[in-house]
Structure formats: C-alpha cells, structure tokens
Amino acid sequence: MRIVFIGPPGAGKGTQAAKMIETYQVAHLSTGDMLRAARDAKTEVGAKADRYMSAGELVPDQIIIDIIAERLANPDCRKGYLLDGFPRTIAQAEALDAMLAKKGAPLSVVLELRVPEEALFTRLSGRGRADDAPDVIRRRLVAYRKQTEPLLAYYNQKGLLQTIDGLGTVEEIFDRVKTVLDRVG
Ligand code: AMP
C-alpha cells in the first residue's frame, strides 16, 4: 500500500503512523523527521530548513521534493510506504504524482485525520517541542489551513480521500484507520 497521511499539527498523526507501520509493514517516510535529522546532523539542507521550521513556516517545495525523490528510490519503499507530513502543498502533490506516474506505482489512499482547531492548540501546547511555542503553533496552523487543506479537494477529486475522525482514544482512532486500510489494501 502507498498511503498519504494528512492532518494538522497536533492531530496525533505520529502516534497513528507508528501503529500503521507496525501493523501494515510499510516504510515510514516522515519529512518532519528527515528535516530534524538533517538539522541535527548540521547539513547545509538541515541548516536552511531549520530557519523555516523554527518559524512555523513550510520549508520551500524544491528542498522537500528532492528529499522525497531520493527517499522513494530506496528499495525499502517497494513494500509500500506511509508518507507522513508530505505532501503539504499542491506543488508537492503534483511533483509526487509525476514521480509515481513515472514509476507506474500510484497512491492507494489518502487518509485525512480530522481534528477541530480548538483541540489542536491545547494538544500542541502540552508537547514541549521547540516549534511548539504559542506563536509558532499559530503559524503552523495557519500554514496548514492555507497551504495544506487545499490538498483535500485535490485528492477528493481523484477519488483517493478518506477522512477519519481524529477525536477519541488512540485505539478508537486506530480502529477507524484499520477499517479504511483493510478495505483499500
Ligand atoms: P512535522 O514534524 O511534520 O510537523 O514537520 C515539522 C516542520 O518541518 C514543519 O513545521 C515544516 O517547517 C517542516 N516540514 C515538514 N514536512 C514538510 C513539507 N512536506 N513541506 C514543507 N515543510 C515541511
């Protein structure tokens, strides 16, 4: 299965992604994790990305697209993968479509984890990550609304979108995820 996982910051994507990887044995491709690793390794790309990340803004599309293109070429992606936090803009989604068309391996499903905005702010404030300061959180939520939400219509039009209610316990939410994935895969 080739899965795209979309949801606002604080929706609980990381927790659900970990459970999906384990249950469905797909590769986990988190652009946030890749960027944090690049930043910690003090690479040139990492330093550049960090300026955007700490401001709560999206890293420029071309940087992200290059990182993902390289990662998708890795043999472990042949067993299927979960794209977590990518794509986040229409330009990234179009670039992904082009890459996958070339490989002849289209997406299986796009999962949206939906959580009302009031709940997100509370969850993020309790997390303690460097980019979880209140003004940065606000900017990340705005980036989601403006740049990432348009992807929902984009994928809905392609018949790929499945929306999951992100309120409830971890297990309740994962049951909803499984219901969708077992139907697809
Ligand atoms: P995340 O861990 O997915 O919340 O990502 C943390 C930060 O990394 C985001 O706030 C962005 O600055 C950056 N980032 C992660 N994925 C992307 C992406 N696909 N496009 C642009 N920026 C990204």
Side-chain angles (χ1 to χ4, degrees):
M1 263 187 299
R2 290 176 288 277
I3 309 159
V4 164
F5 198 22
I6 299 181
K13 278 208 321 292
T15 308
Q16 295 298 323
K19 295 179 79 67
M20 278 190 252
I21 303 316
E22 202 190 317
T23 305
Y24 295 94
Q25 299 289 310
V26 289
H28 186 199
L29 276 55
S30 156
T31 43
D33 286 352
M34 293 175 207
L35 293 170
R36 281 185 288 275
R39 181 193 58 196
D40 296 346
K42 301 196 189 308
T43 66
E44 202 177 310
V45 166
K48 188 159 184 211
D50 185 42
R51 293 203 287 274
Y52 296 92
M53 294 164 80
S54 22
E57 286 165 15
L58 293 187
V59 172
D61 287 329
Q62 202 53 53
I63 294 182
I64 302 286
I65 291 165
D66 290 346
I67 291 177
I68 279 289
E70 198 183 318
R71 184 65 186 82
L72 282 175
N74 194 302
D76 72 333
C77 288
R78 278 189 226 131
K79 64 183 178 188
Y81 49 79
L82 175 68
L83 285 165
D84 173 5
F86 174 90
R88 262 184 160 90
T89 65
I90 296 282
Q92 291 177 20
E94 287 171 347
L96 176 65
D97 279 347
M99 283 179 232
L100 299 187
K102 237 193 249 166
K103 291 182 197 285
L107 293 173
S108 317
V109 66
V110 175
L111 289 182
E112 178 205 1
L113 192 58
R114 189 172 286 185
V115 174
E117 204 159 298
E118 314 82 75
L120 297 173
F121 203 88
T122 323
R123 291 192 196 182
L124 286 165
S125 315
R127 205 162 65 167
R129 215 166 76 182
D131 54 353
D132 286 343
D135 58 323
V136 180
I137 293 177
R138 233 169 268 124
R139 254 177 278 146
R140 287 165 59 210
L141 291 172
V142 169
Y144 182 78
R145 217 181 304 129
K146 289 206 176 140
Q147 292 167 275
T148 307
E149 267 185 2
L151 291 182
L152 302 175
Y154 178 90
Y155 284 124
N156 192 29
Q157 216 161 33
K158 295 180 185 286
L160 286 170
L161 184 70
Q162 296 284 344
T163 297
I164 288 159
D165 175 4
L167 289 180
T169 65
V170 169
E171 287 308 325
E172 281 165 353
I173 298 163
F174 191 56
D175 280 343
R176 294 173 199 144
V177 168
K178 276 192 296 195
T179 303
V180 169
L181 293 185
D182 290 344
R183 210 164 45 214
V184 171

